[in-house]
Amino acid sequence: MRPGIHSVTFDCVGDPYDLGLFWSELLGRPLADDDKPGDPEALIEDPDGGPRLLFVRVPEGKTTKNRIHFDLKPKGRTREEEVDRAITLGARVINDLRRPGGGWVTMADPEGNEFCVERAQPSPAPSATTGPQSLRLEKVTPDNIEAALALKVRPDQERFVSPVAQSLAEAYAQPDTAWPRLVYDGDELVGFVMAFCDVRFDPENPENPDDRPRSGLWRLNIADGKQRRGYGRFAVQSVCDEIRRRGRTRLVTVTWAEGEGSPEPFYLGLGFRRTGETSGDQVVGELDLDA
C-alpha cells in the first residue's frame, strides 16, 4: 500500500487567511467555508480530488529559497496575462526567464514562497476580462461623483483614513499635486485612491538637505465589504505605475497611523519599509521601485 499526498502545507508568519486568499484567487479554488481572518489555519480543497493546500501560521519567517515549488500553466490566458494577474493579486517577479516560444517567470507570493508561471501550450486567444483583470481606474467626473462621495470604508477603519469628500477637496485645492482615481471592478465602484506627486515634507525649511520631493500614496479607501479581494493591492500598484511613468523618483512614499486595525501590515506586506521618520503622528514608509 502506498501513501497518498493529502495536503501541501505552506508556513506563514502573517495571517493564513490572507495567504490562502491569494492562492484561492490565483488558482480559482475557494477557501473552506469555515475559514475566516485571524484563524491559525486556512484550507483550499481541490474540487478534482487532488492534494489540498493548507496554510498554517508559524513563528519563523522564510529565510532561504524553496526547495519545492509550483509550476503553473495558464488556462484560458496567456503567460503574460497570468503574470500580470498574479502581480495584481500581490505577487512579485523574482526572475524573468521568458524567451520566444518558451521560458517561464519565477514569482513569489506575499509570504515570499516561489512559484513559476510557464507558457501556455498552445497560447490561447485573448479571453474575456474576468475576475481581477476587470479592475480599472477612472477619473472622477460629474457622472460618478455622487457614487464616489457615497463610498464608505468599514466603520473600524474610519479613524485611519479621511473620507472621499475631504480627498476630493484637497485634490481641488492642489491640482498639481494630487492624482485622484476611482477603483472599479467591472461596473461596480469598489474603492478610491489618490497619489501625491513632488511634495516636500518640510516646505517651510527649504535649506533642509534631507527634505527631498516625494511622491506616493496619499489616500486609499476600499469600500466596506470589499476588502481582501485584491482591490487595495491593485490601487497601490496603480499608484506605483503612475509614479514610475512620471520618472521623477524611484521611491514610493506612504504614511500610516499605528494602533489596532492599522493598515501597517498591509503596506509592509506589499514591500514598504519604515524609514524611521514620522509625518505628524504617522509613520513614514517607502517602497523602492527598483528593488
Side-chain angles (χ1 to χ4, degrees):
M1 299 294 291
R2 293 173 296 176
I5 299 176
H6 184 238
S7 302
V8 177
T9 301
F10 289 72
D11 292 344
C12 55
V13 295
D15 192 332
Y17 182 87
D18 287 342
L19 188 59
L21 189 60
F22 167 85
W23 283 98
S24 172
E25 294 176 342
L26 184 66
L27 299 177
R29 301 177 185 176
L31 285 165
D33 291 339
D34 58 350
D35 283 337
K36 59 183 183 297
D39 285 350
E41 298 180 357
L43 179 67
I44 296 176
E45 297 276 6
D46 184 350
D48 298 323
R52 314 177 309 166
L53 301 184
L54 179 63
F55 305 89
V56 180
R57 181 183 290 115
V58 298
E60 309 89 3
K62 181 176 180 293
T63 58
T64 62
K65 181 181 182 296
N66 289 23
R67 297 300 298 272
I68 185 172
H69 66 266
F70 292 140
D71 289 338
L72 304 184
K73 185 174 287 294
K75 293 183 179 180
R77 300 184 183 91
T78 65
R79 176 183 55 196
E80 286 63 39
E81 289 173 331
E82 195 67 58
V83 168
D84 289 344
R85 192 173 73 92
I87 292 172
T88 297
L89 293 173
R92 58 186 174 87
V93 173
I94 295 177
N95 197 8
D96 191 336
L97 297 172
R98 283 176 280 196
R99 63 181 186 275
W104 63 90
V105 180
T106 302
M107 308 189 73
D109 71 11
E111 284 271 344
N113 300 299
E114 295 89 2
F115 64 96
C116 292
V117 180
E118 298 183 349
R119 179 175 180 266
Q121 296 283 352
S123 294
S127 58
T129 299
T130 58
Q133 290 191 20
S134 64
L135 298 181
R136 70 182 193 281
L137 297 184
E138 294 284 350
K139 293 182 178 180
V140 180
T141 68
D143 293 330
N144 59 33
I145 191 169
E146 292 296 332
L149 294 174
L151 188 145
K152 305 293 183 185
V153 299
R154 233 173 38 212
D156 62 300
Q157 296 175 331
E158 291 178 349
R159 68 189 183 96
F160 291 108
V161 62
S162 299
V164 173
Q166 178 175 331
S167 296
L168 293 180
E170 292 167 334
Y172 176 82
Q174 304 174 70
D176 295 333
T177 295
W179 188 77
R181 293 294 187 271
L182 299 178
V183 182
Y184 280 87
D185 186 352
D187 294 328
E188 183 181 13
L189 176 62
V190 297
F192 170 85
V193 65
M194 187 163 73
F196 65 88
C197 302
D198 299 327
V199 173
R200 292 186 180 273
F201 280 17
D202 189 16
E204 297 182 359
N205 185 11
E207 303 304 321
N208 183 351
D210 297 323
D211 187 34
R212 51 184 168 77
R214 308 194 201 204
S215 298
L217 181 67
W218 191 349
R219 203 68 40 76
L220 178 61
N221 306 60
I222 301 300
D224 187 7
K226 304 299 180 181
Q227 289 86 6
R228 300 180 182 274
R229 301 188 187 185
Y231 300 146
R233 291 189 181 98
F234 170 78
V236 174
Q237 183 61 54
S238 298
V239 167
C240 292
D241 290 343
E242 176 63 17
I243 292 172
R244 184 183 288 108
R245 184 189 68 81
R246 296 188 182 213
R248 297 188 181 183
T249 179
R250 306 300 293 178
L251 294 174
V252 179
T253 303
V254 68
T255 66
W256 63 80
E258 297 181 287
E260 185 176 357
S262 165
E264 179 176 85
F266 169 74
Y267 291 125
L268 295 182
L270 293 179
F272 285 89
R273 293 293 178 261
R274 289 170 172 254
T275 66
E277 306 166 275
T278 57
S279 176
D281 61 351
Q282 296 198 332
V283 173
V284 177
E286 286 186 338
L287 174 68
D288 187 345
L289 294 177
D290 293 325

